[in-house]
Amino acid sequence: MKTVVLAGGGHTHLEVLRRLTAERDTEVKWTLVSASRYHYYSGMFSGFAEGLYSIEDIRIDLKKICEDKNIDFIEETLESFDPAKREVVLSSGEKLSYDRLSLDIGSHTAPDQIEGLAEKQIQIKPAHLFTERIDACRKAKELVIIGGGAAAIEMAFSFHQWKQQNGRKYDRVTVVASGEMVDEKSDSVVETLFDHKGIRYVKGDAAVEVTDRYVMTESGGEVLYSEVIFLGGAQAPALLEASGLSVDKKGFIKVNACLQTPDDSRVFAAGDCAALITHPYLPKSGVYAVRQGEVLHHNLIASLRRGALMDYKPQSRALILLSTGGKQALMLYGKWRQFGSWAWWWKDYIDRGYMRKYQ
Ligand SMILES: Cc1cc2nc3c(=O)[nH]c(=O)nc-3n(C[C@H](O)[C@H](O)[C@H](O)COP(=O)(O)OP(=O)(O)OC[C@H]3O[C@@H](n4cnc5c(N)ncnc54)[C@H](O)[C@@H]3O)c2cc1C
């Protein structure tokens, strides 16, 4: 009997689980190790923060899927893995051996370059922490979001909207971002909306330190906060580098186009935790993680059977629908930009459709 250990219940493994049918090879035992019983769908994080979705709307019960498909489910954190021994170590100390290991453990939001941030921030990733930590952000008098990418923009709008609708109109949301947010054209739409809604934007300045009361910026600015979150880019889980396998400059595990680590053909990785050698600048986004599922499913099985592996080829353009609060959204596709309520309804339709596929 061969054993495949899937570590992490992220977007890619969810798709692998969906594709595992009852008719699969009975000589292969599949085990999912997940820090949480649930998968949380990041596309609906903003709507959840705003109060548009309930917790059941945005999560999928991994344990139930595993039970239905006769897959072992272990609700524990992967602490480390040893490629030489072909063994993983779980938070309980239990060890599991594997023939194939697949990692989809996502990323963190705790960079060590900003002094004091790790101790002071509300950490909302890994994904299973998100729902339990969101209330403190909603109710913060002075909420500061460090980072200016899609997640930071969406969350700023969502928290602002929640505050407007829940008697906290005098709270303030501030975004501190050092570079361009999305691109010049989209940024001007976002900045106009920030301005209109009263979201403060500290533009072109990097957070360098978080003290007890202030986020200190590179230009010497002091931004008062009562709660601070970092959404300035995915950070790598330390256990990847500790395995001894090759990682990129940020510590994400390197994989080839087959999602296989170049150092060890028995170890695969996908989603945020993986660094594709063929596409080093691929954004860390759920959109790409989901699409890797088909390739990962095929390759895990094919590699056990010594069959031909498939290459993952990221889509050249991804549709991005950025929620801007109050059931409005900004749609980005290639060079095309459109804003309105219809974009939010489209996003809601796509996101609910995604959830229906797995629930
Ligand atoms: C606030 C916010 C909003 C975002 N919004 C969007 C969006 O709208 N659209 C989009 O495409 N992307 C969005 N993203 C990015 C998106 O969250 C990630 O790119 C996506 O979740 C990556 O999927 P994944 O499969 O790599 O991992 P995840 O979906 O993060 O899943 C990893 C899983 O592994 C588990 N895990 C972690 N560590 C361990 C461990 N050691 N052992 C076992 N299990 C572990 C976690 O509990 C988690 O369930 C957002 C990110 C944030 C922070």
Side-chain angles (χ1 to χ4, degrees), residues 87-98:
E87 193 175 79
V88 300
V89 180
L90 309 184
S91 36
S92 61
E94 189 189 343
K95 292 178 179 168
L96 300 177
S97 52
Y98 61 79

Side-chain angles (χ1 to χ4, degrees), residues 214-230:
Y214 297 101
V215 173
M216 313 297 290
T217 68
E218 202 169 37
S219 72
E222 295 182 340
V223 184
L224 183 70
Y225 77 89
S226 50
E227 297 293 355
V228 58
I229 54 176
F230 177 84

Side-chain angles (χ1 to χ4, degrees), residues 79-349:
E79 290 296 317
S80 63
F81 66 99
D82 184 337
K85 290 187 185 159
R86 277 195 271 150
E87 193 175 79
V88 300
V89 180
L90 309 184
S91 36
S92 61
E94 189 189 343
K95 292 178 179 168
L96 300 177
S97 52
Y98 61 79
D99 295 286
R100 295 293 176 273
L101 170 65
S102 176
L103 302 159
D104 179 22
I105 56 173
S107 55
H108 292 238
T109 54
D112 43 21
Q113 307 91 300
I114 303 177
E115 206 185 319
L117 178 72
E119 306 87 67
K120 306 283 185 331
Q121 73 162 341
I122 299 181
Q123 192 174 336
I124 58 174
K125 274 267 206 160
H128 61 275
L129 301 177
F130 183 80
T131 52
E132 53 191 73
R133 303 212 168 153
I134 226 61
D135 223 37
C137 301
R138 288 171 169 163
K139 293 179 182 158
K141 185 109 198 71
E142 291 279 353
L143 176 66
V144 174
I145 299 174
I146 302 174
I153 296 168
E154 279 204 316
M155 298 315 286
F157 284 122
S158 299
F159 288 126
H160 173 268
Q161 192 68 30
W162 188 91
K163 288 167 179 297
Q164 294 299 305
Q165 287 168 354
N166 291 275
R168 300 194 70 98
K169 288 194 175 153
Y170 300 105
D171 289 359
R172 185 161 53 172
V173 177
T174 303
V175 176
V176 179
S178 55
E180 198 174 59
M181 290 191 283
V182 185
D183 56 56
E184 209 182 327
K185 207 166 151 192
S186 314
D187 285 8
S188 79
V189 179
V190 171
E191 279 186 53
T192 307
L193 283 169
F194 275 175
D195 204 37
H196 175 68
K197 291 177 184 255
I199 296 171
R200 184 174 165 214
Y201 178 32
V202 179
K203 186 178 174 179
D205 206 357
V208 287
E209 189 186 346
V210 179
T211 67
D212 283 344
R213 295 188 66 201
Y214 297 101
V215 173
M216 313 297 290
T217 68
E218 202 169 37
S219 72
E222 295 182 340
V223 184
L224 183 70
Y225 77 89
S226 50
E227 297 293 355
V228 58
I229 54 176
F230 177 84
L231 290 173
Q235 310 294 312
L239 70 88
L240 301 176
E241 189 165 6
S243 71
L245 297 185
S246 302
V247 293
D248 72 359
K249 278 193 299 234
K250 293 185 172 169
F252 294 104
I253 195 158
K254 285 190 181 171
V255 291
N256 59 25
C258 304
L259 306 176
Q260 200 171 30
T261 64
D263 311 323
D264 185 341
S265 61
R266 296 187 186 93
V267 180
F268 290 74
D272 277 10
C273 72
L276 265 179
I277 298 165
T278 48
H279 295 83
Y281 300 109
L282 193 73
K284 304 276 184 210
S285 151
V287 177
Y288 296 101
V290 171
R291 293 279 185 95
Q292 290 169 6
E294 181 185 0
V295 175
L296 184 62
H297 169 259
H298 172 90
N299 288 353
L300 285 169
I301 294 171
S303 78
L304 286 170
R305 294 179 181 160
R306 298 178 190 278
L309 303 196
M310 273 166 76
D311 280 357
Y312 164 69
K313 295 186 192 85
Q315 60 268 47
S316 55
R317 282 189 291 188
L319 171 70
I320 299 172
L321 290 158
L322 278 182
S323 171
T324 56
K327 298 192 175 176
Q328 293 195 308
L330 174 64
M331 189 216 67
L332 320 172
Y333 188 68
K335 292 201 157 100
W336 208 33
R337 306 275 170 277
Q338 290 289 325
F339 170 73
S341 297
W342 64 269
W344 187 87
W345 288 109
W346 190 13
K347 176 173 166 51
D348 180 64
Y349 175 77

